[in-house]
Amino acid sequence: MSKRIVSMVALVLILALAVSLSGCGSKGENTPKEGTASPKAGETTKPAGEKPADVPDKYDPPIEMSTVTFNYSYPKFDKGDDINNNPWSRYMLETYGIKVNTLWDTSTDYDQKVNLMIASGNIPDFFAVSPTQFKQLYDAGLIEDLTDSYNQYASEGIKSIMKDAGAEVMESATLNGKLMAIPWTGEAQVGVPVLWIRQDWFDALKLSAPKSMNDVLEIAKAFTTQDPDGNKKDDTFGLAMDKDFNLMTGFLNGYHAYKDIWVEDGAGGLAFSGLQPEMKEALAILQDMFKNKQIDPEFGVKDTTKVNESIGSNKLGMIFGNIELANTMQKITPNTSWLPFPVPSIDAEPALMQHPLNVYGLYWVVKKGTKNPEAIYKMLQAWVDLYYDNTSEEIYAKYNAIQGTGYWMNAPIKIYKTFSDVEVYRQIKPLLESKDRENADLSKLTPAARSAYKQILEYEKGNMEFRGRNGKTGLNGSASVIDSYVANNQYKPEAFTTLPTPAMLLKTPNLLKMQYQMISKIILGAPLDEFDKFVEQYKKLGGDEITAEVNEWYKNK
């Protein structure tokens, strides 16, 4: 499945304000993806759950469910269609007897308009809300308890998606023991760090796959000192780093250090990851790498765009990126491939990949007193059927996307499969491993998997247009790395899954600024005791207060 091609300003603003809800609040990562489809009822590749006897297959007479929605700034309607008359609205009415009445849709000010609705007390039957709005609605007694309806009416397929997202996701929607919303599950776990190594340099120096972080250091040294590009100049560096340290996360995880999350402290509480001794150890190694020019000496003035320019200029040989980097590198370095590897560990304990709460910033709520709250599970099932599990190209074109029109935006309710990209890899892996690739039966593949398979075969015939596709979902692509993380349970989720505490809102910006200044100083050569000074100052300037609030929540969640 291709990565989402648009971003949504409103959601960015929401996420900047609040991260998540769990015991009393919530959090999230990601944008709707285009490129994966699914079938009508009865045509899914995965069975729906059993239907309770008291709910009809189709409501007769039809019921009406009101909602509001946001959209994106590219086409989503055919001529004559509108927000209440389109393939999705017609499908809901014809298949389930649900008339979806969308009161309004917007592409710019969704959060503000929802705030106005909540203030008025006049809300639709179901809609998506931010973590802060979720808490407001709950406190005001305006939303339904979904505990029983979810247990009774959600299909096993829907429950499986929730389970794959991580136990903390449903926990974040559960307030005082009651499930008060359906999380809009995200893809945080598929976006965790992957180690990418430039293949031509790797091959030229006859290097071996890194099995430990020490191997990573040796590769960085070789790329810096052994003229991997063969130009007889001392102009290459081992590891990419940016001034905002966005590219540092994978490196830290290899040392069991974590960037800006809350982790279990081993004593029944939570602690901020930036204060832990593993962080100091990792910074000491980065300092040594910088001293030996294994990191670009100018990293301190380069954002990720500038880093990409350095990669395109053939100056850098390794980067901790994500599953999508194969496609990025196809554009930046079109004449060479990059090899993806799991982030190795510094010791015998596997490296764990950190990620935020796997929620796409929003929660689906149902208005208190709505006559048929269970109808949302039918609409959710339609989304899974038509967006994910479909094997028909015709259905894909009708409900998802064709010729630049994003029909999928009209689905009244959405959740994301956390590992949909990995599922594409899993579907085509047996076919890629078979001896008769050209005559493989593709009928059981989803359109996304079918397209990926065909593109990889084209790449193997020499079509470099699909180098990125092969690097992502080919046999040794980045999806296979994520699949290994899943198999080995190599994940470290954010442990603090509620709204920011009062002290956090007030003091975190300055504390993080102070932390990043310390990191920069140490990498550039300052004494390591700068870390200890930072820890002391962090605690005095609000860190202890924040930690107390975090652990008060953790104790009572």
Side-chain angles (χ1 to χ4, degrees):
M1 179 180 297
S2 62
K3 265 307 174 202
R4 304 190 178 95
I5 61 175
V6 287
S7 62
M8 180 174 167
V9 174
L11 289 185
V12 171
L13 294 175
I14 291 171
L15 294 175
L17 172 66
V19 243
S20 74
L21 258 150
S22 157
C24 70
S26 133
K27 162 179 184 204
E29 187 195 60
N30 302 92
T31 330
K33 299 198 232 184
E34 191 177 357
T36 333
S38 307
K40 307 173 190 170
E43 292 184 307
T44 59
T45 59
K46 297 183 180 179
E50 291 189 13
K51 173 184 62 64
D54 59 329
V55 175
D57 288 325
K58 180 178 180 179
Y59 295 101
D60 187 16
I63 63 170
E64 181 171 316
M65 296 287 284
S66 60
T67 190
V68 296
T69 190
F70 54 79
N71 56 48
Y72 300 89
S73 56
Y74 63 96
K76 64 174 182 172
F77 298 122
D78 282 332
K79 186 176 181 180
D81 283 357
D82 57 39
I83 193 61
N84 285 311
N85 180 28
N86 57 70
W88 282 89
S89 66
R90 292 190 288 268
Y91 180 88
M92 295 300 176
L93 184 59
E94 293 165 5
T95 306
Y96 295 119
I98 300 172
K99 183 178 182 347
V100 180
N101 178 21
T102 302
L103 305 177
W104 52 258
D105 69 335
T106 181
S107 61
T108 58
D109 55 355
Y110 182 81
D111 191 37
Q112 294 90 327
K113 294 187 77 167
V114 170
N115 281 337
L116 290 174
M117 285 196 320
I118 293 173
S120 72
N122 185 20
I123 61 176
D125 294 318
F126 72 98
F127 60 122
V129 296
S130 73
T132 299
Q133 293 162 344
F134 177 18
K135 185 62 163 56
Q136 291 171 340
L137 289 164
Y138 173 75
D139 288 344
L142 293 176
I143 52 177
E144 278 285 336
D145 175 0
L146 302 178
T147 310
D148 291 338
S149 66
Y150 178 81
N151 290 333
Q152 288 181 306
Y153 304 128
S155 72
E156 292 306 312
I158 292 170
K159 290 175 181 176
S160 178
I161 292 172
M162 294 295 159
K163 181 180 178 182
D164 284 348
E168 62 275 5
V169 168
M170 286 294 277
E171 207 175 274
S172 74
T174 302
L175 308 181
N176 294 323
K178 298 176 181 179
L179 181 66
M180 300 303 300
I182 302 300
W184 187 333
T185 48
E187 298 178 307
Q189 288 154 287
V190 86
V192 296
V194 172
L195 174 61
W196 291 89
I197 302 179
R198 186 176 169 129
Q199 184 171 5
D200 54 352
W201 293 9
F202 185 84
D203 292 343
L205 300 182
K206 296 181 171 56
L207 300 174
S208 300
K211 301 297 183 183
S212 72
M213 286 302 294
N214 285 329
D215 293 337
V216 173
L217 301 183
E218 287 300 315
I219 294 172
K221 180 179 178 181
F223 283 170
T224 303
T225 62
Q226 296 182 28
D227 190 25
D229 58 359
N231 68 353
K232 296 182 170 48
K233 294 180 182 179
D234 183 17
D235 62 351
T236 56
F237 310 106
L239 181 66
M241 183 71 68
D242 67 295
K243 69 182 181 68
D244 301 310
F245 307 113
N246 294 312
L247 301 175
M248 187 173 68
T249 303
F251 186 90
L252 295 178
N253 292 174
Y255 284 85
H256 311 304
Y258 307 99
K259 184 172 176 281
D260 303 340
I261 65 171
W262 289 82
V263 296
E264 295 177 349
D265 62 8
L270 298 183
F272 183 60
S273 62
L275 310 182
Q276 306 313 305
E278 293 84 0
M279 178 67 75
K280 183 177 181 180
E281 178 187 359
L283 292 178
I285 300 299
L286 288 171
Q287 182 185 77
D288 191 59
M289 293 179 73
F290 179 81
K291 178 182 176 182
N292 292 298
K293 296 185 178 181
Q294 294 166 19
I295 295 173
D296 183 354
E298 298 180 352
F299 87 88
V301 295
K302 292 183 176 181
D303 58 16
T304 51
T305 299
K306 290 294 183 181
V307 170
N308 285 344
E309 290 177 7
S310 295
I311 292 172
S313 299
N314 304 317
K315 302 300 182 186
L316 290 163
M318 275 194 301
I319 183 171
F320 286 93
N322 61 26
I323 191 174
E324 289 294 334
L325 206 66
N327 293 317
T328 303
M329 291 308 186
Q330 178 174 325
K331 300 173 185 175
I332 298 173
T333 56
N335 297 319
T336 188
S337 296
W338 287 68
L339 304 173
F341 297 96
V343 175
S345 171
I346 188 57
D347 54 30
E349 291 295 317
L352 302 181
M353 303 301 104
Q354 71 174 82
H355 64 84
L357 183 68
N358 193 19
V359 174
Y360 177 59
L362 297 169
Y363 291 78
W364 295 99
V365 296
V366 177
K367 181 175 70 175
K368 182 81 170 179
T370 295
K371 185 176 180 181
N372 296 101
E374 76 286 345
I376 65 166
Y377 306 113
K378 291 182 177 292
M379 290 185 279
L380 275 173
Q381 189 62 52
W383 167 257
V384 175
D385 290 347
L386 298 175
Y387 187 72
Y388 281 115
D389 293 343
N390 162 56
T391 59
S392 163
E393 297 288 347
E394 179 183 357
I395 290 170
Y396 168 77
K398 182 176 181 179
Y399 293 102
N400 291 282
I402 189 171
Q403 297 178 344
T405 303
Y407 303 124
W408 55 268
M409 286 188 285
N410 299 310
I413 188 166
K414 309 171 188 73
I415 54 176
Y416 295 133
K417 283 190 174 184
T418 296
F419 298 110
S420 57
D421 286 326
V422 177
E423 286 188 10
V424 167
Y425 161 74
R426 289 170 180 167
Q427 286 185 56
I428 66 176
K429 181 175 183 284
L431 304 183
L432 292 174
E433 291 174 333
S434 70
K435 294 180 180 179
D436 191 15
R437 293 181 172 193
E438 294 293 341
N439 297 312
D441 179 7
L442 308 185
S443 63
K444 295 181 180 180
L445 299 181
T446 62
R450 193 176 297 124
S451 174
Y453 182 74
K454 291 177 180 178
Q455 289 175 359
I456 290 171
L457 293 192
E458 285 299 307
Y459 166 75
E460 291 178 346
K461 293 174 183 176
N463 188 342
M464 292 300 103
E465 178 185 353
F466 301 119
R467 184 198 298 273
R469 167 58 70 187
N470 183 69
K472 180 179 177 182
T473 48
L475 284 177
N476 297 305
S478 52
S480 71
V481 173
I482 302 299
D483 199 28
S484 74
Y485 291 159
V486 176
N488 298 322
N489 194 25
Q490 287 181 250
Y491 285 101
K492 186 78 168 181
E494 164 76 70
F496 182 71
T497 56
T498 187
L499 293 170
T501 69
M504 265 185 191
L505 290 172
L506 185 63
K507 300 179 179 181
T508 292
N510 284 336
L511 291 175
L512 287 180
K513 181 179 179 181
M514 186 170 68
Q515 179 193 19
Y516 279 49
Q517 289 173 342
M518 173 272 297
I519 290 173
S520 183
K521 286 180 182 178
I522 288 180
I523 293 176
L524 294 176
L528 279 176
D529 62 8
E530 287 289 330
F531 178 83
D532 304 311
K533 292 177 184 177
F534 159 72
V535 172
E536 184 179 346
Q537 286 294 102
Y538 177 95
K539 291 180 177 181
K540 285 181 180 179
L541 297 178
D544 281 345
E545 186 179 355
I546 293 173
T547 301
E549 291 177 347
V550 166
N551 280 291
E552 180 65 20
W553 163 82
Y554 192 63
K555 180 178 69 175
N556 297 306
K557 71 169 184 169

